Structure formats: C-alpha cells, structure tokens
Amino acid sequence: MNVLIPNKDTLVFLANVQRKILESYNSRFAPGSLAVPQFPLWAFFDFPSPKKCASCSLLFPCLGADEFFFPAELSFFSGGRIVTARLKIVFASVRNSPAAAGSFSDESVQELFPRNERVFRTGEASVENNGWQLFSSVWHKC
C-alpha cells in the first residue's frame, strides 16, 4: 500500500485541527455518538507512487458516513501529463453518527484551508494491528 505523508510541521497542524474538530463534535452530540481519533495522519492510495509531483493541497475537513477526513489533491507527472488524484487523510472514526455526511462546519478552522504543501513524502507502508512501518520513502518538493 502506498502512502502520502505530510511534513512534520503539517502533521502537527493537522493534529491540532483534528483535536479542535473532535472536541467540538463530541461536545455537540450524545455520548452514544462518539468521534474517535485515528492515526497515522497519512493518505493511503493504491496506485504506484509518483516519481515527480507538481503540487499537493489539503482541503477543508469533511464528515463522511462514518469518518472524518482531510481531502487531499496530489498532482503528479505521468506519461508526460499532469494527473490529479484525490486522496483522504482519515483522522477520526464516528460511532453511531446522527449527522449527515458532507462538510462539517467548524468556523474555528475554516480560514485555515485550503493549504498548499510544498514538502511531503511518499512511500510504501505496512499496517498491521495498531502499528505501521514506512519503506522506500521519497521526499518531494514542489
């Protein structure tokens, strides 16, 4: 499984946004509907890892049917043209969600997105039980 990994500063930024959103969400709904944080804050994908990337953008967080995620757009060169892939950085799972899927409106983080990333990594990841390992990582600078 291939993976996109934001740089260290972006990971800290995403963890702070994750905390704010989960505190807000969990304070609004009954204890039966709980959003539980997930790690690592990586975007997993199943196509070959790109050799040369053009851009990477993190978009406003969304609430799916049973998960919160940061949408990411990764543009890379493939066959002489630029291809854009939409990825998800899942940051929480939601149990017994009363909310409908779609955008989650949290005004405290709204002005922080979209966020264009200049430096990030791609690589191969192995996820087993509650642990993960990264192999063959490559740094990209746009």
Side-chain angles (χ1 to χ4, degrees), residues 63-131:
L63 173 59
D66 60 352
E67 64 188 9
F68 277 101
F69 61 93
F70 296 105
E73 288 184 348
L74 177 64
S75 297
F76 56 93
F77 296 95
S78 177
R81 62 186 179 96
I82 295 179
V83 177
T84 300
R86 292 198 47 105
L87 308 173
K88 294 192 314 187
I89 300 174
V90 177
F91 67 89
S93 59
V94 180
R95 310 251 162 67
N96 304 324
S97 174
S103 293
F104 182 75
S105 61
D106 190 336
E107 295 78 26
S108 66
V109 297
Q110 199 162 22
E111 69 277 355
L112 303 175
F113 294 94
R115 183 179 168 104
N116 294 320
E117 296 302 309
R118 290 190 55 230
V119 179
F120 55 93
R121 286 190 292 174
T122 58
E124 296 176 26
S126 170
V127 179
E128 230 175 84
N129 297 328
N130 288 330

Side-chain angles (χ1 to χ4, degrees), residues 22-37:
L22 295 184
E23 283 177 356
S24 173
Y25 181 86
N26 288 335
S27 69
R28 289 184 193 174
F29 297 107
S33 172
L34 184 65
V36 180

Side-chain angles (χ1 to χ4, degrees), residues 28-69:
R28 289 184 193 174
F29 297 107
S33 172
L34 184 65
V36 180
Q38 284 188 309
F39 295 96
L41 296 175
W42 296 353
F44 295 93
F45 56 91
D46 57 359
F47 54 87
S49 229
K51 302 291 184 232
K52 186 173 180 186
C53 295
S55 68
C56 179
S57 297
L58 300 178
L59 307 176
F60 189 77
C62 293
L63 173 59
D66 60 352
E67 64 188 9
F68 277 101
F69 61 93

